[in-house]
Every structure is written in C-alpha cells, then in structure tokens.
Amino acid sequence: MIDELHVTDVALIHEASIQPASGLTVLTGETGTGKTALLSSIKLLVGERADASSVREGATGLCVEARLFLPGGDEDGIIARRRVSQDGRSRVEIDGHLSSVRELAERVGSTVDLCGQHEHQRLLRVQTHVELLDAWAGEAAKQARDAYAQALAAAAHAAAELQRIQEMGRSAQEQVDEAAFVLRRIDDVGPSVEEYEELEETLPRAEHAEALLRAAHEAREGLVGDGGVMDALSEASSLLHDAATHDATLDRYADALESALIDIEDVASDLRGYQDTVDFDPETLDELQSRMAAYQGLLRAYGPHVENVLRRRDQAAELVSAVQNGDELERKARRALEEAEAALLKAAKALDRVRRKAAPELAKAITKEMAFLQMGSAEVAFDIQALPREQWHGAGPSKVELMYRPAVGLTARPLRRIASGGEVSRVMLAVKVVLGEAAGAEGTGAETLVFDEVDAGVGGATAVALAQVLARLAKTHQVIVVTHLAQVAVFAERHYLVSKKTAEGDEVPQTTLTEISGEDRVAEIARMLSGAVTDASLAHARELLNSDC
C-alpha cells in the first residue's frame, strides 16, 4: 500500500505530494491539467521503463519517492526512490541503499496494479487471457502449470538428445576415423592423472641417481669419515671440557658441540638410509623416460593437462560408440523421448482440466459484474481449444481466448473484434473486481489498484454503477482513480484536485495537487456535474455527497 508519494519535476509537475487513503482516492481536474503525470510517476515507482521525456522541461532530472507498506514487510514500511536524469539514466534506492529496477519491480511492482488504456489494450491481446484464467484458478493452476512447464522442458531436452545422437550417427566417416585414431593413440598409453604425477616425482631422481648417490656418500664421509667433522668436533669438545676446570663458562660451549654431534650423527644415519632408496637401474630409467615421452606426446596433441587428454579420449570414445552402437543409443534416446512425451501429455491434460473447470466460473463472475455495470445481457465466455503438439508453448497446450456476446441470442466472438472502447473498459473493470476480490480473499495479488480513464464514455446509470463497483473494490484494496465522473468522486475517502498554472517569471506551466474537502470539494463536484459552479450544481453536489459519502 502506498502511504505517501512525493514527485519532483515529472512532466508538468514541479513538486507535489499525495497521501492516498487506504480505500478510495480520486484525482479530478480540468482536461489537460496533467492528471496522468502522477500516474506516470507511479509507473516509474513500480519499475516500468524510464523515459527521459518525462523529465520536466528545464529540470536536470526527475525524482519519485514513496513510503510503502508491503505485505509481510517491516511495520515501519520502506522508502523507495527513483531518479531519472535528462539523458534517461535511472537510479534506484530502497531504504537508502542503491538497488536495481528489477528489484523495484519485484518488491513494489508486484503490489501495485496499473489499470489504464495500456491495460485495456492488454485485455485485447489473446496471450493475456490465459493469465486471467490462471489467476482466478489460483494455486491449483499454479501447481498444474509448474508441472506442465517441467514436463515440457524435459521433453525438449529428450528431443534435443535424440537429435544429437542422430547427428553423431550421421557424422562423416572422416570424423569417425579421426576419433578412432585419437582413441587408439590415447588408449595405447593408458594415461592417468595419478601416474603422471608420480612420474613427475620419480623421473628426476632416476635420471640423476648417480649424482644423488655420490652427493649423499661424500657428504656422509665428510661427516663421519676419518678426519671428518665429527672427529674435529669431538676433539674440540674434549679440549673445552678440560679447560673448563679453570673456567666453568667453557662447559656451556662444550655441551653445545656435543649437541651438534648428536644432530650430525642423525644426519649421517639418514644419509645412509637415503642411499639405500636411490636405485640406479638403467632399464628402469629407460622405462620411465619412455613413459614420460609418451605422456608429453599426448599433452602436446590434446593437452595442456592430463585432464584435457582424458576428456578428449571420452569425446572420441563417444563418437566411435555412437557409430558402432548407434542403433542402441538411438533406441534408448527415442524411448526416453517417448516417456517424456507421455509425462508431458499427462501434465497437459491436468492443466487443461483445471482451466476448463475454472473457465465457466470466472466467466460467470465477470458477467455478473458486467450486468451491475449496466451492460445488459452482455456475457463473456472462455474458449479453450487444444493446439497441435508442435504448437505447445510455455503457457500451455491450448489456446485460451476471452469471447464476448453483446446480448442473449447473439454469437460469442473474440472480444478484440466486436467490443467498443467503452465496453472493453467496463469488461476490464469487471475482470479487475473479480480477480481483486479473489486475490483479496486468498491474501495474494496487488494491494493497490490504480485506474486511469476507466470512466471513458460512461454516464448516467452506468456512471453510478461504476462508482459503486469502485467503492466496493476499495473495501478490500487501496484504489486510486483519475476520474471525470462526479458519481465516482463522491465515494472517495480522499479527494485531490489537479490544476495547472504558470508561476510568475516561469514560462513553463506547473501542475499542482491539492487535497480538498468541505466547500472546496462541493465546488469541484459541482463543476464535474455541469461544467460550471452554479447554485443548482452546488445543490446537486451536496445531495450526492450526503447520500453516498
């Protein structure tokens, strides 16, 4: 629900604010005063595409900000702000943090439904009719549609897999021969990641075994051989111990040398053990070098890593197998496709059942509202026609179209072909009322409904009926209406007057919004009734306000 809306430099509005009621709020004013500018602001607020032409002439950019209470949200509400510069660039903030237009549309747009001329045009597009039906059917339609979508995706995947196998089977013999060569070459080596890592560790030791043995032997002799390091340290330690009888300080140095002797003995012992592990075998060295050479050949051809070689081997094996065992692979893929198609058919029938059950109920509810809107015996019905399998799409396996019968006894035909603009407007309102009441009962759907031009071509008893419908809808939703009908305006909880004036020294006119009540509201209702404020129109306005407010 929109708690407060503040607009700066949008179209003719320099600065304006409104605080819509939780029920019905109306905006009225002379034609051309800029009432739709506020609706343009709400469109920006719910994440619709930004247009630099919406920026007020002479301004560097526009700003629309609002405080909203979202279903299940923080009890303090959120602050959403959208700025659009002269070059059309958009900037979004939610609670002071940078955000995206997508998040704005998801968080705010899902709670606000804009019902203007654009919505009338949507109602004439057949593609939107299935959405109306599914919205009415609710959770049952959602579950059935989700299951159908999953089955459709699975069938598409199975069909693509069958096509891939068939194409592999039709591959040129040259490709098959090349794959067979790659497979033989790699399998002749039989590479593995583990063996290659072991080769990288052992081959350098095998290639330099003599040098390693010589280094270990000579180092050990230098430590423990005659005249080696250990003899020298032992003699030095003894000398220090003897001299320590005269100065105890030397004992500390003698002890350090003895500790070093222990470490040297450990190193000498380890060197002897190391010598035993180094095996100089020319035949083993040849084998290791040959093995590494084989690996290097594969890495140059299919590398740079052993994993790449193994992956190339799998690809080659798959291609060869597809040719050698193509019939079996194709049979499996075809069987998988048949199973996926059977599951899809089951899901499609389930979705159709839900829709065919809901269609007459929704049509009856809409028709009832149409009768209340003074549309006589006009009726709507949903025509559901099964599509050929190749025409099934994400929305379902059938074509769903809203049909319109102007009167009893006449043939129902597509709404887009025979309904007038005024009829479409009232059918749209009837749809909104029915779906809005259904969503309100389930706690789902938009909380705020914004209507523009819903009263086009309406007058007399129809105007009264339309006003009553909007008032009823406002009991379960926040409703904001731009209207020319006094019959609608008198039901409002809050009434804003939209006017246009040119400030002194400013060549560009400005649209202002003023909340009116009391005698100001009586005067505006009188103007709406007769086009002028007279004693008669004022009396009529007071009568309407007293009877309907």
Side-chain angles (χ1 to χ4, degrees), residues 238-250:
S238 296
L239 288 172
L240 290 173
H241 273 306
D242 291 344
T245 57
H246 306 295
D247 185 354
T249 302
L250 296 177

Side-chain angles (χ1 to χ4, degrees), residues 28-35 484 497-498 524 527 531:
T28 67
E30 297 279 4
T31 300
T33 54
K35 294 185 291 296
H484 295 286
L497 175 63
V498 183
E524 174 61 8
R527 183 200 62 78

Side-chain angles (χ1 to χ4, degrees), residues 13-35:
I13 298 176
H14 174 53
E15 189 169 8
S17 296
I18 67 167
Q19 293 179 295
S22 58
L24 179 62
T25 300
V26 299
L27 283 75
T28 67
E30 297 279 4
T31 300
T33 54
K35 294 185 291 296

Side-chain angles (χ1 to χ4, degrees), residues 96-294:
H97 300 286
L98 286 177
S99 188
S100 65
V101 174
R102 175 179 294 181
E103 184 179 359
L104 189 68
E106 290 174 353
R107 294 187 63 183
V108 178
S110 61
T111 70
V112 179
D113 193 356
L114 296 167
C115 316
Q117 289 298 325
H118 175 66
E119 188 72 9
H120 298 177
Q121 296 304 315
R122 287 188 74 250
L123 190 61
L124 297 180
R125 294 206 301 269
V126 177
Q127 299 91 325
T128 66
H129 297 171
V130 69
E131 305 295 339
L132 302 178
L133 186 54
D134 286 353
W136 167 265
E139 187 62 26
K142 181 181 183 304
Q143 292 181 2
R145 187 161 175 171
D146 288 347
Y148 166 81
Q150 293 174 5
L152 185 65
H157 177 75
E161 181 65 11
L162 174 60
Q163 183 178 3
R164 187 182 71 86
I165 290 173
Q166 289 173 332
E167 289 176 353
M168 286 175 59
R170 292 192 294 267
S171 295
Q173 190 60 41
E174 182 179 333
Q175 291 178 301
V176 177
D177 291 344
E178 180 186 354
F181 169 77
V182 170
L183 186 60
R184 283 194 305 273
R185 182 178 177 186
I186 296 176
D187 283 351
D188 284 345
V189 177
S192 73
V193 174
E194 295 76 15
E195 183 192 19
Y196 183 69
E197 290 176 348
E198 185 178 352
L199 268 176
E200 286 188 307
E201 180 180 349
T202 57
L203 182 56
R205 294 181 62 189
E207 288 178 330
H208 301 88
E210 288 184 288
L212 295 174
L213 284 170
R214 184 168 56 253
H217 173 74
E218 292 179 358
R220 185 172 181 278
E221 283 300 309
L223 295 175
V224 300
D226 293 340
V229 172
M230 290 191 66
D231 288 345
L233 289 177
S234 295
E235 183 177 353
S237 179
S238 296
L239 288 172
L240 290 173
H241 273 306
D242 291 344
T245 57
H246 306 295
D247 185 354
T249 302
L250 296 177
D251 271 333
R252 181 159 52 88
Y253 300 126
D255 290 341
L257 292 178
E258 288 177 355
S259 177
L261 280 169
I262 294 172
D263 291 338
I264 290 171
E265 284 179 356
D266 290 341
V267 172
S269 176
D270 289 343
L271 285 172
R272 175 181 288 176
Y274 175 78
Q275 287 177 267
D276 293 338
T277 65
V278 179
D279 182 18
F280 177 62
D281 181 359
E283 291 184 5
T284 300
L285 177 59
D286 286 343
E287 290 176 3
L288 292 174
Q289 288 176 329
S290 296
R291 193 69 182 154
M292 180 58 83

Side-chain angles (χ1 to χ4, degrees), residues 364-545:
K364 181 179 179 181
I366 295 172
T367 297
K368 181 180 178 181
E369 292 297 333
M370 288 164 52
F372 188 80
L373 289 169
Q374 304 296 311
M375 295 186 72
S377 60
E379 298 177 342
V380 294
F382 283 91
D383 181 41
I384 303 177
Q385 296 182 4
L387 295 170
R389 169 62 186 90
E390 61 272 13
Q391 294 182 21
W392 289 11
H393 47 76
S398 301
K399 176 185 176 183
V400 178
E401 184 167 9
L402 186 63
M403 310 294 283
Y404 180 73
R405 181 183 290 111
V408 174
L410 298 179
T411 302
R413 300 194 179 186
L415 177 70
R416 56 194 166 88
R417 292 184 180 175
I418 61 173
S420 66
E423 289 171 322
V424 172
S425 178
R426 280 179 282 170
V427 171
M428 187 273 290
L429 179 58
V431 168
K432 291 295 180 184
V433 170
V434 170
L435 295 183
E437 290 179 344
E442 296 180 7
T444 60
E447 287 198 340
T448 299
L449 302 177
V450 183
F451 291 94
D452 181 28
E453 302 294 340
V454 71
D455 54 12
V458 171
T462 304
V464 174
L466 185 147
Q468 292 172 344
V469 166
L470 289 172
R472 177 154 50 90
L473 193 57
K475 292 180 179 179
T476 55
H477 294 73
Q478 181 183 51
V479 179
I480 302 173
V481 183
V482 173
T483 184
H484 295 286
L485 292 177
Q487 293 88 339
V488 173
V490 296
F491 279 98
E493 293 179 44
R494 285 190 182 155
H495 187 159
Y496 283 88
L497 175 63
V498 183
S499 56
K500 184 171 65 174
K501 62 182 179 179
T502 302
E504 185 176 348
D506 192 350
E507 296 181 358
V508 180
Q510 295 184 16
T511 292
T512 61
L513 279 76
T514 307
E515 184 178 2
I516 56 174
S517 60
E519 288 303 309
D520 290 336
R521 188 179 181 204
V522 172
E524 174 61 8
I525 298 295
R527 183 200 62 78
M528 296 173 71
L529 286 168
S530 67
V533 178
T534 64
D535 290 341
S537 63
L538 286 170
H540 190 187
R542 290 191 179 92
E543 181 183 355
L544 285 177
L545 287 166

Side-chain angles (χ1 to χ4, degrees), residues 44-45 47 80-83 90-94 96-105:
L44 292 173
L45 184 66
R81 181 180 294 108
R82 188 170 184 188
R83 305 176 191 274
S90 182
R91 179 188 177 97
V92 175
E93 295 176 28
I94 297 179
H97 300 286
L98 286 177
S99 188
S100 65
V101 174
R102 175 179 294 181
E103 184 179 359
L104 189 68

